[in-house]
Amino acid sequence: MSQTKPVYASFRSIGAYVPEKILSNADLEKMVDTTDEWIVKRTGIKERHIAAEDEYTSDMAAKACEMAIERSGIAKDEIDLILCATVTPDYFNMPSTACIISDKIGIRDVQAFDISAACSGFVYLLSIAKAFIESGMKKNVLIVGAEKFSSIVDYTDRGTCILFGDGAGAAMVSATSNKEEGIVDLHASADGSYADFLVTPAPGAIHPASQQVIDEGLNFVQMKGNETFKLAVKTLTKDVKEILAKNEINSDDIPHFIPHQANYRIIKAVGDALKMKEEQVVLTVGKYGNTSAASIPMAINDIWESGRLQTGELMLLDTFGGGLTWASALLPFAGKAINQ
Ligand code: UT7
């Protein structure tokens, strides 16, 4: 009897796009009642990038995708699935941003769809890519987390407008027969009983677009900041401890801990609880703010471009966001390093 060889999903390449315009803390001081000192002390954020008015989520995503494709060495006609994670799609209902991206990068006649898992979106995509590849349904899955978060931020609300930025990050996930290259483990979960912690009330079936929506600002993101903060620290720490214990890996053996970049204090608290050294923890929140589904791939791209991420090195991803959703992943970087 012939036996099919096992297939593993490997993380082949990374790419990211950061819009040009910078919104600094000094700029925000002129817009709301806040100070650079407060923002840096409470969040670690110094600046964030904001997309141009005519630059959309799909534009940023397409640029990140082109980069990830080129760096993977995989031809466009070998890609058989395109997935986008975003909570700021070009259109709220249809078409999906993944469809628009596929057109912009010139890949047609392949399956393409969006998922909504807020800040956990990219790691959720990784789980979908893994399932498609390891079941034998797809071979090369292009995944992208992209957000024009500025399109749902109320720039009169100091509790949220200081946090968020725009950007995109993409990766190629491909089939391999080499187990050493495959994603080691991944855990993704959700708890909808905390849905009101992070919510954009409109537009949607509950509040379709109306004058009332505009008058009451229901189209802007609302967040229970302090409650979200506490739950984020607890959940992120627990999730990482579990994935490390399950795979019998010590936190010392992780060269790159890449948490969701929401707030420096959350990252520090989780890093300390896991006894991570400073050099293990990847930090980009200071220059990009919270870019939701784009935050993890943008951070991976940063360490790749700076030459810090080498082939075969283990990455530990950990994320938390609206839904509430959370996810962690343990995987080697199976692509070429920048200096190779
Ligand atoms: O990506 C998805 C997950 N998202 C997160 O994980 C975000 C989690 N939350 C946070 O990062 C933090 O909760 C914030 C940065 C949003 C807020 O920090 P905090 O330390 O939790 O502050 P707080 O909401 O408890 O507010 C403390 C004080 C309040 O004043 P009073 O009531 O003590 O007088 C706020 O009104 O700070 C005030 N405040 C500000 N002051 C200056 C809130 N925002 C600002 C601001 N500038 N921008």
Side-chain angles (χ1 to χ4, degrees), residues 34 38 42-43 119 158 198 225-226 260 263 265-266 290:
T34 193
W38 191 96
R42 296 293 186 121
T43 70
C119 306
R158 68 176 183 175
L198 255 161
N226 205 264
H260 170 49
N263 183 319
R265 287 189 297 137
I266 297 178
N290 181 349

Side-chain angles (χ1 to χ4, degrees), residues 23-29 32-48 158 161-163 263-265 285-286:
L23 181 67
S24 69
N25 290 351
D27 296 329
L28 285 163
E29 281 180 353
V32 287
D33 181 15
T34 193
T35 60
D36 171 55
E37 192 196 352
W38 191 96
I39 302 172
V40 172
K41 196 167 153 213
R42 296 293 186 121
T43 70
I45 302 170
K46 297 190 178 86
E47 56 189 36
R48 62 296 286 142
R158 68 176 183 175
C161 74
I162 57 150
L163 299 171
N263 183 319
Y264 172 71
R265 287 189 297 137
V285 69

Side-chain angles (χ1 to χ4, degrees), residues 287-304:
K287 56 182 180 177
Y288 300 145
N290 181 349
T291 57
S292 184
S295 107
I296 285 190
M298 284 168 78
I300 299 174
N301 186 66
D302 245 59
I303 55 169
W304 188 84

Side-chain angles (χ1 to χ4, degrees), residues 145-207:
E147 303 284 7
K148 185 171 181 172
F149 222 90
S150 58
S151 66
I152 56 164
V153 166
D154 175 0
Y155 284 97
T156 65
D157 173 14
R158 68 176 183 175
T160 52
C161 74
I162 57 150
L163 299 171
F164 296 101
D166 300 336
M172 185 72 77
V173 187
S174 297
T176 177
S177 55
N178 182 356
K179 192 173 182 202
E180 302 283 299
E181 291 183 336
I183 294 170
V184 178
D185 202 2
L186 200 150
H187 175 250
S189 197
D191 185 344
S193 66
Y194 295 106
D196 63 336
F197 275 31
L198 255 161
V199 60
T200 311
I206 296 178
H207 300 289

Side-chain angles (χ1 to χ4, degrees), residues 239-250:
D239 217 30
V240 162
K241 279 189 175 163
E242 279 174 8
I243 202 167
L244 289 177
K246 190 176 153 210
N247 292 282
E248 298 177 348
I249 293 176
N250 260 319

